[in-house]
Amino acid sequence: MSTSQYDRVTFDFAGRELVGDVIDYLAAGDVSGPDGFLVVDVDGQTYRVEESNAERLDR
Protein backbone atom coordinates (compact mmCIF):
# COMPACT_ATOMS: atom_id res chain seq x y z
CA MET A 1 0.00 0.00 0.00
CA SER A 2 1.12 3.53 -0.63
CA THR A 3 -0.24 7.04 -0.70
CA SER A 4 -0.63 6.82 -4.50
CA GLN A 5 -4.22 5.60 -4.22
CA TYR A 6 -5.10 8.45 -1.86
CA ASP A 7 -4.96 12.15 -2.43
CA ARG A 8 -7.54 13.91 -0.31
CA VAL A 9 -9.60 12.15 2.32
CA THR A 10 -12.31 12.95 4.81
CA PHE A 11 -12.55 11.41 8.28
CA ASP A 12 -14.29 11.87 11.61
CA PHE A 13 -12.28 13.31 14.49
CA ALA A 14 -14.05 13.89 17.81
CA GLY A 15 -17.40 14.28 16.08
CA ARG A 16 -16.11 16.70 13.42
CA GLU A 17 -15.62 15.84 9.78
CA LEU A 18 -12.12 16.84 8.69
CA VAL A 19 -10.70 16.95 5.15
CA GLY A 20 -7.01 16.81 4.37
CA ASP A 21 -4.19 15.64 2.13
CA VAL A 22 -2.57 12.25 2.69
CA ILE A 23 1.16 12.73 3.21
CA ASP A 24 2.23 9.26 4.37
CA TYR A 25 1.10 5.67 4.89
CA LEU A 26 2.12 3.55 7.88
CA ALA A 27 1.66 -0.20 7.66
CA ALA A 28 -0.09 -1.91 10.55
CA GLY A 29 2.39 -3.56 12.88
CA ASP A 30 0.45 -6.74 13.51
CA VAL A 31 -1.48 -9.48 11.75
CA SER A 32 -4.95 -8.22 12.66
CA GLY A 33 -5.66 -7.25 9.07
CA PRO A 34 -4.60 -5.20 6.10
CA ASP A 35 -5.69 -1.89 7.62
CA GLY A 36 -2.83 0.58 7.93
CA PHE A 37 -2.71 4.21 8.99
CA LEU A 38 -2.86 7.29 6.81
CA VAL A 39 -1.02 10.40 7.94
CA VAL A 40 -3.23 13.30 6.91
CA ASP A 41 -2.34 17.01 6.82
CA VAL A 42 -5.28 19.24 7.74
CA ASP A 43 -4.34 22.92 7.62
CA GLY A 44 -0.82 22.26 8.91
CA GLN A 45 -1.85 19.79 11.61
CA THR A 46 -1.17 16.08 11.08
CA TYR A 47 -3.54 13.29 12.07
CA ARG A 48 -3.01 9.53 11.98
CA VAL A 49 -6.18 7.83 10.79
CA GLU A 50 -6.96 4.15 10.30
CA GLU A 51 -7.32 3.50 6.60
CA SER A 52 -10.81 2.00 7.06
CA ASN A 53 -11.99 5.18 8.83
CA ALA A 54 -11.02 7.52 5.97
CA GLU A 55 -13.00 8.10 2.81
CA ARG A 56 -11.21 9.08 -0.37
CA LEU A 57 -12.50 12.22 -2.07
CA ASP A 58 -12.54 12.58 -5.81
CA ARG A 59 -11.25 15.93 -6.97
Side-chain angles (χ1 to χ4, degrees):
M1 187 67 53
S2 71
T3 60
S4 63
Q5 80 178 67
Y6 296 98
D7 188 16
R8 251 173 114 63
V9 295
T10 182
F11 62 95
D12 180 73
F13 181 78
R16 297 182 320 175
E17 186 173 310
L18 299 179
V19 176
D21 298 310
V22 176
I23 57 173
D24 200 6
Y25 176 83
L26 306 172
D30 60 27
V31 293
S32 64
D35 209 18
F37 293 96
L38 301 174
V39 179
V40 183
D41 179 294
V42 178
D43 298 328
Q45 298 290 322
T46 56
Y47 297 84
R48 193 171 78 171
V49 182
E50 286 184 335
E51 189 175 6
S52 62
N53 291 331
E55 183 178 330
R56 186 177 68 164
L57 297 176
D58 294 322
R59 283 193 179 206

